[in-house]
Amino acid sequence: MRDSSSASTSISRRSFLRTATATSLATTAIPSIAQSAACILGQGAFRYRPVPEWGVLGSTTPVKNCHGIVCDNEGHIILLTDHTANNVIIYEKSGKLVHKWGTSYPGAHGLSIVNEASRQVLYITDLQRHRVVKTTLDGKQLEEWCWPEMSGKYTREEEYRPSWTIHFPDGSFYVLDGYGKDYIPHYDSTGSFVKLLGGAEGGIKHWGPHGGMADIRPEKAESMLIAMSDQQHLLRMDREGNIQKTIPLPGGNPRQIRKHGDHYFVGHLADNWPSDRNSRGFLSVLNSELQIVSNIGGTNPIYNNDGILQPMKNNSSVFLHPHDLVVDSEDSIYVAQFSSGQTYPIKLERV
């Protein structure tokens, strides 16, 4: 059931994460980025250099956690934060502020950008308000979807904590209830509820479906690639909810996956999270067969003779909890980080 009203009550976030990551790590985040500007991260054809102080703004444009990040058709970098002084920050590629807006998304988490007829729109998931909101690029709210009460799987709104949305060319979309009950509500192109996928009965383990993307490949059926966070793997699922493949990423903690050209880019919140909450995380680049070809800020990917990926880990001080990323037309990567001492995104230039 859709709800066009904008009023809601903010609910405290479940303590699913210890956001107070060790202060010593958080406070060194910015200096460590500057000090490592001359270093080269990654292996093979996918190596990158950090750009010092990119996107660092003044006290009038604060961030808490940088959650989602996308690029629009004009090349602007759009960042979603959970600071209600400015939930959405829009940058030029140079790091200069273009615009900022949003004061009503205390649980801002997932950000998707969608081409819709002659315009682009944003879909924002809010963990505290238990809903998905659709807006224009400059912040006008167009529509919102509350908890899928009609599914019969939820007894109250607070059980629904959507983390991200996945969109297909036909206008339909899926919502990942990654911090709630692990279901995946499906909506058609008109925004009407179709059915519920996933959940425990659909083979989804708890603390799994965090971020994801529609995977559209020539001569292949459309599918979803889902970053399964604490489960340390990617999941390929068809549009009916059938699990097709599991791609293990041992030592990682995939929070979102983005495609650029023929490669996939994954942000790992940390290495071996949640067992080690002070670990820093890294990025992975995967080829079209979903094999890792480079770990940016992480150890060299090694597959044994049986093709099994060996455990990975961070080997650089550049990152502190990558949560999302986007690759621009010049192959630069922009990384949004969670619980990183209120630091702004990191820009990496390809070498």
Side-chain angles (χ1 to χ4, degrees), residues 86-102:
N86 34 240
N87 285 128
V88 175
I89 299 173
I90 303 174
Y91 288 101
E92 291 182 353
K93 286 183 180 180
S94 65
K96 180 181 178 181
L97 177 67
V98 175
H99 183 45
K100 58 184 178 180
W101 57 266

Side-chain angles (χ1 to χ4, degrees), residues 1-2 145 148 150-151 185-188 191-196:
M1 174 184 304
R2 281 179 287 173
W145 294 263
M150 72 296 292
S151 69
H186 174 205
Y187 296 86
D188 66 20
S192 299
F193 177 78
V194 178
K195 61 183 176 181
L196 210 63

Side-chain angles (χ1 to χ4, degrees), residues 249-265:
L249 299 176
N253 190 281
R255 294 286 159 149
Q256 182 56 297
I257 178 167
R258 304 288 191 180
K259 192 174 185 182
H260 180 70
D262 294 327
H263 288 81
Y264 300 86
F265 292 73

Side-chain angles (χ1 to χ4, degrees), residues 228-268:
M228 293 293 288
S229 61
D230 292 4
Q231 305 306 322
Q232 297 190 0
H233 65 251
L234 301 178
L235 193 69
R236 187 181 292 283
M237 176 182 285
D238 70 19
R239 297 192 59 176
E240 296 303 313
N242 300 304
I243 295 174
Q244 298 179 323
K245 186 176 184 180
T246 296
I247 301 94
L249 299 176
N253 190 281
R255 294 286 159 149
Q256 182 56 297
I257 178 167
R258 304 288 191 180
K259 192 174 185 182
H260 180 70
D262 294 327
H263 288 81
Y264 300 86
F265 292 73
V266 173
H268 297 279

Side-chain angles (χ1 to χ4, degrees), residues 281-292:
F282 56 96
L283 313 179
S284 290
V285 184
L286 294 80
N287 62 20
S288 59
E289 301 302 316
L290 298 178
Q291 293 179 318
I292 297 180

Side-chain angles (χ1 to χ4, degrees), residues 168 215-224 236-239 244:
F168 282 87
D215 197 20
I216 313 298
R217 299 169 295 162
E219 301 178 359
K220 298 284 186 179
E222 294 180 345
S223 65
M224 292 180 278
R236 187 181 292 283
M237 176 182 285
D238 70 19
R239 297 192 59 176
Q244 298 179 323

Side-chain angles (χ1 to χ4, degrees), residues 270-341:
D271 27 318
N272 283 316
W273 182 289
S275 60
D276 181 3
R277 292 177 182 269
N278 290 330
S279 56
R280 303 185 73 97
F282 56 96
L283 313 179
S284 290
V285 184
L286 294 80
N287 62 20
S288 59
E289 301 302 316
L290 298 178
Q291 293 179 318
I292 297 180
V293 296
S294 179
N295 281 325
I296 304 165
T299 52
N300 189 49
I302 298 174
Y303 289 85
N304 68 14
N305 292 335
D306 295 323
I308 298 174
L309 179 64
Q310 302 305 291
M312 307 171 291
K313 66 179 303 180
N314 166 280
N315 67 357
S316 166
S317 62
V318 169
F319 299 119
L320 187 59
H321 305 154
H323 190 268
D324 191 15
L325 59 87
V326 66
V327 187
D328 71 13
S329 60
E330 299 169 352
D331 291 340
S332 293
I333 303 175
Y334 304 81
V335 185
Q337 301 194 118
F338 169 80
S339 191
S340 61

